[in-house]
Amino acid sequence: MTVSAWAHHRWPDAMRQMSRLFARKIVLLAALVLGAVLAVAIVLPMVSDADPNAIAVTERLMPPSLAHWAGTDELGRDVALRIVHGARYSLMIGAITAAGAVVLGALLGILAGFFQRLDAPLMRLVDAMMSFPDILLGIALVSILGVSLWNVMLALVIVYTPRVARVVRAATLVLRELLFVDAARALGVRTHRILWAHVLPNLMSPVLVQLTFIFAYAILAEAGLSFLGVGVPPDIPTWGTMIAGSLEYSDKAIWTLLFPGLAIVLTAVSLQMLGDGVRDMLDPKLKKAV
């Protein structure tokens, strides 16, 4: 069964699983929060031409008010406006990092799990990368690549690829020993066809779970790198750069730190809750609890 055929036949079952997933109030709340963040990030910048980097020195460090709902920062820039525009960058970093890490990690995991000759060298490489803490490896990679938005995303993809590779390898090791794979081999089906039509569809569950988790990890990692001064350039209003720029004034303008921090926490926690729900839904041992 090909991936497209698998999707067609499994669609009704997937819809039933989705309904069970969102029957859990905490997962539904997380999905609503993420939907609201995504809607704000996409819609508001399209209907407003306000510049998030517009400087108004006479309005610097103003507390929240009707004119500035989340106050202003040290340069008089509207914090709420920068959070809205920063959502696009932070979500983009999370999405691209998650997608890149899942694609590369799945490729490495399938190769290592299905081809025994590649297992040892690929896993030694993965183990070597995972021996470093994520933040330290990210700092090292950004220092080598240079500070820019795309280099930060590339560094985070490299950081989180081994995590996906190990999960996919473990699942592939189980799948390659199952009867339907042996039957396909006995019928003379080519290896690439077995991987595409039989192995890959059965890896969707762990891959989807990893996708949601890495999305959240990437947003937090970008904030951490920006906090340490090796993240996205300050002129790009990500939530991480906003927190990094507000530290000097946080004692007298706590709102410059509070509101971007809340945006990060709400988004990351919602992604984690959604990921937990997806994991519980797809895990046969936990399905009854969903």
Side-chain angles (χ1 to χ4, degrees):
M1 182 181 293
T2 64
V3 173
S4 59
W6 173 86
H8 175 74
H9 288 286
R10 294 295 299 273
W11 180 254
D13 183 54
M15 294 304 296
R16 287 193 295 270
Q17 290 182 337
M18 291 290 286
S19 64
R20 291 200 302 269
L21 172 66
F22 292 120
R24 298 178 61 183
K25 293 181 179 180
I26 187 66
V27 177
L28 178 60
L29 178 61
L32 291 175
V33 170
L34 291 175
V37 172
L38 185 61
V40 167
I42 294 175
V43 175
L44 287 186
M46 295 175 60
V47 300
S48 173
D49 58 355
D51 184 4
N53 291 319
I55 297 175
V57 179
T58 57
E59 298 181 355
R60 62 190 304 269
L61 299 179
M62 292 182 62
S65 63
L66 291 178
H68 303 285
W69 294 354
T72 61
D73 63 10
E74 71 279 6
L75 297 177
R77 298 172 296 189
D78 189 278
V79 173
L81 182 62
R82 286 174 61 78
I83 289 175
V84 169
H85 282 263
R88 293 187 301 171
Y89 291 104
S90 293
L91 293 177
M92 180 180 72
I93 290 171
I96 292 178
T97 298
V102 162
V103 170
L104 292 178
L107 177 61
L108 291 177
I110 290 173
L111 292 176
F114 204 82
F115 302 101
Q116 292 183 350
R117 290 179 299 176
L118 298 177
D119 190 15
L122 287 178
M123 284 302 100
R124 296 300 76 76
L125 174 62
V126 167
D127 291 341
M129 295 177 65
M130 293 187 70
S131 65
F132 295 95
D134 292 347
I135 193 67
L136 291 182
L137 183 57
I139 291 172
L141 290 171
V142 173
S143 299
I144 295 171
L145 297 171
V147 176
S148 74
L149 177 63
W150 290 101
N151 285 344
V152 168
M153 288 190 286
L154 176 59
L156 293 178
V157 167
I158 296 173
V159 167
Y160 292 116
T161 291
R163 185 188 303 269
V164 181
R166 290 201 68 86
V167 172
V168 172
R169 170 187 174 269
T172 304
L173 286 173
V174 175
L175 290 171
R176 78 178 186 186
E177 303 299 333
L178 296 182
L179 290 178
F180 65 86
V181 174
D182 290 337
R185 285 174 175 153
L187 291 172
V189 179
R190 294 181 180 274
T191 301
H192 72 273
R193 180 69 177 174
I194 294 175
L195 293 176
W196 177 256
H198 300 286
V199 175
L200 185 58
N202 288 284
L203 293 173
M204 292 298 181
S205 296
V207 165
L208 286 175
V209 174
Q210 289 299 309
L211 184 71
T212 58
F213 286 148
I214 293 176
F215 200 138
Y217 296 155
I219 293 175
L220 293 171
E222 182 275 322
L225 291 174
S226 296
F227 176 81
L228 296 172
V230 292
V232 177
D235 59 314
I236 299 178
T238 68
W239 295 335
T241 57
M242 293 179 66
I243 289 178
S246 67
L247 291 178
E248 185 178 351
Y249 306 93
S250 60
D251 57 337
K252 51 186 175 182
I254 188 62
W255 55 86
T256 61
L257 179 65
L258 176 63
F259 291 110
L262 284 176
I264 292 175
V265 170
L266 283 175
T267 304
V269 170
S270 297
L271 284 166
Q272 292 279 17
M273 292 298 100
L274 184 61
D276 286 340
V278 172
R279 180 199 60 199
D280 295 347
M281 179 186 70
L282 297 176
D283 190 334
K285 297 179 181 179
L286 299 174
K287 275 186 178 180
K288 294 181 180 180
V290 178

